[in-house]
Amino acid sequence: MLRSLTLLALAASATAEYSSNLNYRSPSLSHKLGISLPKVLKRHAKRQAGPSYADASAVNFTHGVASGDPYPESVILWTRASLMYDSDRSNVTVSGTVPLYNHDTEEYVRASANPICVDYNVYADQNLTSVVTTGRAYTSSDIDYTVKVEAGGLQPFTQYYYQFCVCGSDNRSPVGRTKTTPRPEDDLSSIGVAVFSCSNFPNGFFNAYGNSARKDNIDYVIHLGDYIYEYATSTTPRPVEPQNEIFTLYDYRRRLSTYRTDLDLLLSHQKYAWITTWDDHEISNNGYRDGSSGLNNTEQSFEDDGRVSVDQRKMNAVRAYFEWMPIRQVDMDNNLRIWRSFSIGSLFDLIMLDTRNYDRSITTLNWNNDYITEIENDAGRTLMGSQQENWFYNQLKNSTAAWRIIGSQIIFSRINVTTWFGTETNPYNSDAWDGKYRYAQWPET
Ligand SMILES: *[C@@H]1O[C@H](CO)[C@@H](O)[C@H](O)[C@H]1NC(C)=O
Ligand SMILES: *[C@@H]1O[C@H](CO)[C@@H](O)[C@H](O)[C@H]1NC(C)=O
Ligand SMILES: *[C@@H]1O[C@H](CO)[C@@H](O)[C@H](O)[C@H]1NC(C)=O
Ligand SMILES: *[C@@H]1O[C@H](CO)[C@@H](O)[C@H](O)[C@H]1NC(C)=O
Ligand SMILES: *[C@@H]1O[C@H](CO)[C@@H](O)[C@H](O)[C@H]1NC(C)=O
Ligand SMILES: *[C@@H]1O[C@H](CO)[C@@H](O)[C@H](O)[C@H]1NC(C)=O
């Protein structure tokens, strides 16, 4: 009786710290699709009563720090605090059975029995003398040891510094820098942003991230998607883990974590607040609402192609993305929604779309080009789906800023590109806003 009372009391006090890590709350605290906090708390209580495995000095901030989705009063802060470099191996949801090596006892223990507590401080100055806000959060294998918190009570259009540390210890993360946005009514004449997309780690180096960070003359970073690629790869000089095409939750976590070993990318995340949206490759090439070019939802796909359904793969990818990216979930009951907007003073509104995974009609899957040609004038086709389209319309209509800037992951204007199979130019991109397949005749001007 006494014991269970103690556990209950402990659970109650720890709830706030668990739910302050936004990654536990996704998609919502109030229904059962997400991680069961009561179960996590129960394990936490057991650990508090038993031997302490998570020795503070053994915890590493394995992948630096990051910040994102700035608002005038708050910003998202991110880190990963773990005993291990590898990602959690549970592929679907919570698994208490996956072994984790404990360096103290030199034996494998249940990974999820080791919640890790971190505190964070936000400072007004680079010397970390003036604390502006502070908080505590827990993390565990359930969310791949990621930590994502919202730091509030901040001033608009102001630069801040932040640092995480393992609770009650001197084990600290690198210091990050971030910046809130101006209030919608604030006048400003210029702002600097760096815009990136299509960053394929095995294909080359990320000096573009590094150079803009070293020049240090911008305010925010925008990434329009294809932050990772899902392909199988053993390509030198930069093979990525895992080397197979990625399908499982572990696969997506591990792929994201490999990208986050690039020092230029880490530097950019450490210096700037990022605003991101995804394109297809965060999940799978030429994705749309119900599939992608690389995976059919058929019996064969369960036997040979990844052994997952299209929906399960999407859930794995989306979950890992929310865990690893410093992104807000603007609608906690809608895990797939990342379309959202930012007000950058009276200068511009930034409207970030998802023309890809949310509610898009079928796109070219390479083997269905005849079909895409057949339906090219079908008025029922959609890139965004009606819910997002209505929202987008209202965003444009209601905006009072001087400019409206739209973050779109696919190409809007018509451009001639040389096709991969020959020297002909192709005026249409059937996977982008054009939505139609290569034309035999050039269009009239
Ligand atoms: C943690 O960091 C230390 C120092 O960089 C390193 O020696 C150690 O191998 C790291 N541990 C893990 C589990 O990555
Ligand atoms: C997760 O998937 C990988 C393949 O990507 C497999 O090797 C591993 O055994 C799976 N783990 C669990 C716990 O099912
Ligand atoms: C920060 O610390 C450095 C070195 O200790 C010192 O030179 C500098 O004046 C300090 N800056 C502020 C703003 O206090
Ligand atoms: C999906 O199905 C189509 C039509 O049957 C086929 O041409 C294509 O190769 C399949 N894709 C995969 C990845 O199995
Ligand atoms: C735009 O304004 C209308 C009223 O004119 C309101 O109903 C709607 O919620 C607003 N939309 C957005 C996205 O702010
Ligand atoms: C595309 O290329 C064709 C053939 O070279 C040319 O006639 C056409 O004007 C070009 N279209 C655009 C949009 O550049």
Side-chain angles (χ1 to χ4, degrees), residues 89-91 95 98 244 248 250-251:
R89 287 189 174 271
S90 51
N91 289 329
S95 165
V98 185
N244 53 279
T248 68
Y250 171 74
D251 289 347

Side-chain angles (χ1 to χ4, degrees), residues 217-271:
N217 58 0
I218 54 162
D219 297 289
Y220 310 105
V221 168
I222 297 172
H223 200 292
L224 294 177
D226 292 347
Y227 180 86
I228 58 165
Y229 280 73
E230 84 286 12
Y231 295 132
T233 173
S234 53
T235 320
T236 52
R238 300 226 295 169
V240 283
E241 294 297 327
Q243 296 198 3
N244 53 279
E245 184 176 341
I246 57 179
F247 294 98
T248 68
L249 179 58
Y250 171 74
D251 289 347
Y252 281 99
R253 285 170 165 171
R254 188 77 179 99
R255 186 62 61 89
L256 279 157
S257 86
T258 311
Y259 274 61
R260 288 278 186 85
T261 58
D262 183 279
L263 295 179
D264 283 328
L265 176 56
L266 288 178
L267 183 66
S268 181
H269 274 303
Q270 188 177 350
K271 276 199 165 172

Side-chain angles (χ1 to χ4, degrees), residues 137-157:
Y138 281 97
T139 186
S140 61
S141 64
D142 308 78
I143 49 175
D144 201 14
Y145 297 100
T146 54
V147 178
K148 185 155 82 177
V149 294
E150 179 179 14
L154 307 179
Q155 296 299 311
F157 207 39

Side-chain angles (χ1 to χ4, degrees), residues 81-344:
S82 180
L83 292 166
M84 58 181 184
Y85 202 84
D86 198 0
S87 285
D88 184 68
R89 287 189 174 271
S90 51
N91 289 329
V92 188
T93 53
V94 185
S95 165
T97 60
V98 185
L100 164 69
Y101 193 68
N102 173 20
H103 294 272
D104 293 340
T105 61
E106 297 189 342
E107 51 186 32
Y108 284 92
V109 294
R110 278 177 41 168
S112 52
N114 291 275
I116 287 164
C117 173
V118 298
D119 288 327
Y120 62 91
N121 284 325
V122 179
Y123 303 91
D125 64 318
Q126 191 165 7
N127 284 358
L128 313 184
T129 53
S130 161
V131 178
V132 174
T133 185
T134 180
R136 170 166 290 190
Y138 281 97
T139 186
S140 61
S141 64
D142 308 78
I143 49 175
D144 201 14
Y145 297 100
T146 54
V147 178
K148 185 155 82 177
V149 294
E150 179 179 14
L154 307 179
Q155 296 299 311
F157 207 39
T158 304
Q159 195 158 279
Y160 291 98
Y161 297 84
Y162 61 94
Q163 189 174 40
F164 295 87
C165 80
V166 181
C167 299
S169 83
D170 212 25
N171 183 353
R172 295 173 193 284
S173 75
V175 176
R177 190 186 75 183
T178 191
K179 193 176 200 171
T180 50
T181 49
R183 284 171 306 213
E185 64 275 19
D186 289 346
D187 268 337
L188 65 159
S189 55
S190 74
I191 200 119
V193 294
V195 180
F196 299 102
S197 70
C198 311
S199 26
N200 193 331
F201 187 112
N203 278 14
F205 294 98
F206 284 171
N207 47 295
Y209 287 143
N211 289 344
S212 72
R214 283 181 287 270
K215 277 186 190 160
D216 203 5
N217 58 0
I218 54 162
D219 297 289
Y220 310 105
V221 168
I222 297 172
H223 200 292
L224 294 177
D226 292 347
Y227 180 86
I228 58 165
Y229 280 73
E230 84 286 12
Y231 295 132
T233 173
S234 53
T235 320
T236 52
R238 300 226 295 169
V240 283
E241 294 297 327
Q243 296 198 3
N244 53 279
E245 184 176 341
I246 57 179
F247 294 98
T248 68
L249 179 58
Y250 171 74
D251 289 347
Y252 281 99
R253 285 170 165 171
R254 188 77 179 99
R255 186 62 61 89
L256 279 157
S257 86
T258 311
Y259 274 61
R260 288 278 186 85
T261 58
D262 183 279
L263 295 179
D264 283 328
L265 176 56
L266 288 178
L267 183 66
S268 181
H269 274 303
Q270 188 177 350
K271 276 199 165 172
Y272 298 116
W274 279 47
I275 296 172
T276 69
T277 186
W278 53 42
D279 191 22
D280 52 344
H281 291 286
E282 279 85 351
I283 300 176
S284 181
N285 182 53
N286 285 19
Y288 67 110
R289 186 183 50 222
D290 310 311
S292 61
S293 72
L295 191 67
N296 294 327
N297 223 5
T298 57
E299 208 169 301
Q300 187 230 336
S301 72
F302 282 97
E303 282 169 9
D304 308 327
D305 306 329
R307 303 195 173 99
V308 290
S309 66
V310 163
D311 282 354
Q312 184 64 56
R313 184 186 198 182
K314 205 168 184 173
M315 273 164 59
N316 295 340
V318 168
R319 177 149 164 204
Y321 187 84
F322 274 113
E323 286 173 349
W324 277 80
M325 301 301 287
I327 184 180
R328 281 174 201 265
Q329 199 178 322
V330 286
D331 180 349
M332 282 310 239
D333 277 323
N334 190 342
N335 229 350
L336 202 51
R337 172 174 169 186
I338 62 170
W339 34 279
R340 65 202 191 288
S341 64
F342 298 85
S343 163
I344 313 292

Side-chain angles (χ1 to χ4, degrees), residues 384-419:
M384 288 183 262
S386 58
Q387 203 190 342
Q388 183 181 182
E389 225 171 82
N390 286 334
W391 169 86
F392 182 35
Y393 176 81
N394 280 324
Q395 290 287 316
L396 294 174
K397 199 177 83 172
N398 294 6
S399 168
T400 54
W403 297 89
R404 279 142 291 284
I405 296 182
I406 296 160
S408 168
Q409 45 280 102
I410 52 174
I411 296 169
F412 187 77
S413 52
R414 192 178 292 174
I415 50 171
N416 275 340
V417 288
T418 305
T419 54

